Amino acid sequence: MGGKCLMVQGTGSSVGKSLLCAALLRILRQDGYRCAPFKAQNMALNSFVTRDGLEMGRAQALQAQAAGLEPSVLMNPVLLKPTSDVGAQVVVNGRALGNMTAMEYHRRKGELRALVGAAYEELAAGVDYVILEGAGSPAEINLREGDIVNMAMAEMAGAPVVLVGDIDLGGVFAALYGTCLLLAPEERARVKGLIINKFRGDADILRPGLGMLEVKLGIPVAGVVPWLNLDLEDEDSCTRRFSQAAGQGPLDAAVVVLEHMSNFTDFQALALDGACRLRYAHTPGDLEGADLIILPGSKNTIQDLLSLRRRGMDGPVLRHARAGGLVLGVCGGFQMLGRTLRDPLGVESPVQEAAGLGLLDMDVSFLPHKTTAQASARVDCPLPGWVPYQGMAVQGYEIHAGQNVYGPQALPWLRRAEDGALLGACNPAGNVLGTYLHGLFDGGQLSRALLRQGAGDRSLPPASGLTLAQHREAQLDLLAQAVRRSLDMALIYRILRGEA
């Protein structure tokens, strides 16, 4: 394979590879180049659906936005969506193959090598540069055989590598040094630069260590990137996000944290409205005082529902709804609101049937066919509170295997614009709503409509009018500015051009 490229690998997971790739892509775009992201294999529960209905990692969709390109599964040909500690749904070229254990998938990785290589070649043929992202660490020597995402991918692409370490975790010098020592000699020769990420303080303090590291490894340090407080998602590594609130508005919205929570980015736009403070609830007490309780998506809905009950989180949700409080469920959270959930074929869970929360008049069955499609919807709700928003257009995407059968007490809320099918339903009181539409708040209008329902008689501050796409554009520009200032970009360009 030819073409100019650079691969960003890390000393471990969550060191910031995804956002550094996004930053480099935005910098290249600003400098007038056509560039594209590529990650051969991604493990994430946050996924995106392309215009042609194919599923890919959301991190690569964000990177595509950084590069100014339409997201394509060529950028992420293999996606693993964990369903348990030892298994995941395997998505190849945007289509789900089924669930596999870790060992089953490991045995099949060799079959995917040619597929990954073909995707990369097709992508690289249409751009000036490709920024590749690794996964975890290239020094996971137990996984070297059958590798398709780290050094084996770098070899396939002919890519030089920059290695990133996270100083916020501690031990960054040992992590960078030890990672390089565990690489095979030909792999180590590919590493052309080192980056220290997430630094807090005066970088001059690091200079003695940086010089020693360069001497010991014979690899230049390309820069030290500071800790950046930006509102951009980074794969599923969101521990910090799930412990912090976003937004300063008077309305309190609490998202119930699920073990297999997916697409938490659905609610990021609520915090941009100006009327909402968005936070994440880990315990029953975290739900106290909320104006709006949100049940997010899940990759294993029945198991997460059972866990919800074991943790005692169902009680506050039910009490809130019965007291007239606003409850919203999206995708898996929507399914939990029904009467009964059935999975006789084990599509998601070994548990074949479970009682739902009973807040919506519907039953859910999980079937092998998985719906993945971008969707246009419109508000179509007969209740007085939604009359001002009747016909409002909403854009989003569907990713689900469940099918709903509605009873007479399930009223329409959102309909698919194309065929009028229900994409969302509510209870007769209008305070419990659910939908299969991800990204439904990204445009901003529906955020305000929902928050007005939660506000009741209270007045709200003016809406910001900012869409999530506009917010991300601004954040990506800030990211690129900080990374450009922190890295030796002359060195990065020499590495990209094969001159280093």
Side-chain angles (χ1 to χ4, degrees), residues 185-366:
E186 63 274 15
E187 294 173 338
R188 196 177 314 141
R190 287 197 175 276
V191 182
K192 302 299 183 181
L194 307 172
I195 295 175
I196 291 179
N197 197 23
K198 305 182 188 178
F199 179 69
R200 306 171 194 250
D202 185 349
D204 285 340
I205 295 173
L206 293 179
R207 295 200 185 284
L210 300 180
M212 188 180 298
L213 192 64
E214 289 181 327
V215 169
K216 285 183 173 294
L217 290 175
I219 302 170
V221 174
V224 177
V225 179
W227 181 278
L228 301 173
N229 289 310
L230 296 175
D231 189 22
L232 290 166
E233 63 268 20
D234 185 6
E235 300 281 69
D236 284 338
S237 307
C238 301
T239 303
R240 189 174 71 91
R241 181 184 294 274
F242 293 162
S243 63
Q244 292 188 337
Q248 303 295 322
L251 287 182
D252 185 24
V255 181
V256 177
V257 175
L258 304 175
E259 184 177 352
H260 303 97
M261 180 165 57
S262 63
N263 289 66
F264 63 85
T265 51
D266 284 336
F267 317 111
Q268 188 179 5
L270 285 174
L272 300 178
D273 177 274
C276 181
R277 175 178 178 266
L278 184 74
R279 57 189 177 85
Y280 290 86
H282 298 262
T283 68
D286 292 341
L287 294 174
E288 297 300 327
D291 297 297
L292 167 62
I293 292 178
I294 298 172
L295 294 172
S298 166
K299 192 64 198 72
N300 196 328
T301 304
I302 290 181
Q303 295 281 28
D304 276 349
L305 175 62
L306 297 176
S307 173
L308 194 77
R309 288 197 167 102
R310 285 194 300 270
R311 293 157 56 200
M313 301 287 279
D314 58 328
V317 175
L318 293 171
R319 289 193 295 273
H320 182 75
R322 289 166 183 162
L326 194 60
V327 175
L328 170 71
V330 175
C331 203
F334 178 28
Q335 294 164 343
M336 292 180 190
L337 296 174
R339 290 188 305 258
T340 307
L341 288 74
R342 299 185 179 92
D343 192 0
L345 301 177
V347 173
E348 282 194 1
S349 169
V351 180
Q352 294 191 353
E353 185 172 317
L357 297 175
L359 294 174
L360 287 179
D361 185 14
M362 66 183 194
D363 298 297
V364 180
S365 295
F366 295 91

Side-chain angles (χ1 to χ4, degrees), residues 14-38:
S14 305
V15 300
K17 298 185 293 290
S18 295
L19 290 186
L20 284 174
C21 285
L24 292 173
L25 288 158
R26 178 51 63 100
I27 289 169
L28 287 169
R29 179 188 176 192
Q30 290 171 343
D31 290 352
Y33 296 103
R34 182 172 171 81
C35 53
F38 183 84

Side-chain angles (χ1 to χ4, degrees), residues 376 378 380 412 414-423:
S376 298
R378 55 184 171 81
D380 183 14
L414 298 177
R415 291 191 185 274
R416 191 185 291 124
E418 180 184 38
D419 57 10
L422 277 187
L423 278 182

